Amino acid sequence: MKNNPWNYEEIWLAIEQHDRHYANIFVSNDFRTNQNGCLILIQGLSVVRAGQWSRACCINESLDIGAMFPYVTKAKEHNLSVIILNRNQTSYIDKETYSNHEDTKASSENLHSFYLSPDSLPLLSSTKPVSNLSTSYEHFLYVYDNIIAKMSPTEKFYIVAHSAGGDNLTYLLRQRQDCILSKLSKIVFIDAFHAIISSDTDEIKKFFQYNALHFIASDKPMGESIHFSQKPFCSEVSAQSFKT
């Protein structure tokens, strides 16, 4: 993401901990100046990191399917800035504790395998939660409060949320409704987990009803209306694909 043709800026979190950075996100080079609009991309659960929707699809199909490149390309075509979250990077290896393990050889290769493993990150005694970013909910809230709200000048946001990222999105709306809802233009869910609860405001429910779209794996043609949920609170359409 940091190289051509994207040239995105990498921001390390938490930003107030100048000597210790544990989670990285990416923003387009016009993120701080673009007033036309901003696209927020949030991935789902598991081992995927910033810029990825699915590692399996990246390997078995193509980067156009498994990575976010087509989305950032479209954003540029429509003059939108972009911010890519990294909701699953919520822990890190404490190198000092790690090096003191008798049964563990502290090396850069072992540390790389921890962060790049295709499996869920192991819960070791040397694994520590990232302060203020120890859950995916904290991650999105922190990024919104400290990066999006403070650095982006736009008054118009678009969000694409995949899988469990949909749950993070609804959490953000509940926590920051007064700040973001009036600036939110459209939401797209992709095979996402999300739900309306009894305490949700009428404003949130109405926004989902008229401004949210849920793409769901189906054998129907792309964009065709489908009936997947028993009580959908937003429009559901076919993504013209099968889950694997």
Side-chain angles (χ1 to χ4, degrees), residues 190-244:
I190 306 173
D191 285 321
F193 310 148
H194 54 284
I196 288 292
I197 58 178
S198 58
S199 59
D200 284 334
T201 65
D202 290 339
E203 288 81 7
I204 289 179
K205 295 175 183 177
K206 186 176 181 179
F207 183 88
F208 278 128
Q209 182 179 358
Y210 293 105
N211 298 284
L213 194 62
H214 189 187
F215 282 88
I216 300 170
S218 167
D219 59 350
K220 301 293 184 181
M222 170 71 76
E224 181 175 312
S225 179
I226 61 175
H227 300 284
F228 178 78
S229 305
Q230 290 186 346
K231 295 182 179 180
F233 59 86
C234 69
S235 299
E236 297 179 333
V237 298
S238 171
Q240 198 177 9
S241 62
F242 291 100
K243 288 185 177 180
T244 56

Side-chain angles (χ1 to χ4, degrees), residues 48-139:
V48 289
R49 295 295 184 266
Q52 302 171 340
W53 296 124
S54 166
R55 286 189 180 183
C57 288
C58 287
I59 296 170
N60 299 322
E61 298 191 47
S62 71
L63 292 179
D64 283 344
I65 300 296
M68 297 180 180
F69 296 131
Y71 291 79
V72 300
T73 298
K74 282 294 183 181
K76 188 173 184 179
E77 291 175 1
H78 290 277
N79 190 26
L80 300 176
S81 64
V82 178
I83 180 167
I84 300 174
L85 277 66
N86 196 6
R87 65 180 293 279
N88 296 314
Q89 190 62 57
T90 57
S91 61
Y92 69 99
I93 287 183
D94 182 83
K95 292 184 179 180
E96 183 176 351
T97 305
Y98 182 75
S99 62
N100 290 333
H101 273 273
E102 294 182 0
D103 58 345
T104 305
K105 181 180 179 181
S107 67
S108 59
E109 290 80 8
N110 287 336
L111 291 176
H112 288 162
S113 68
F114 171 82
Y115 290 109
L116 300 179
S117 170
D119 302 316
S120 298
L121 299 183
L123 295 176
L124 305 174
S125 59
S126 54
T127 303
K128 307 295 183 183
V130 181
S131 178
N132 297 319
L133 298 158
S134 62
T135 69
S136 59
Y137 302 102
E138 287 186 354
H139 177 87

Side-chain angles (χ1 to χ4, degrees), residues 38-58:
C38 177
L39 175 63
I40 302 171
L41 299 176
I42 179 167
Q43 61 278 91
L45 192 63
S46 190
V47 296
V48 289
R49 295 295 184 266
Q52 302 171 340
W53 296 124
S54 166
R55 286 189 180 183
C57 288
C58 287

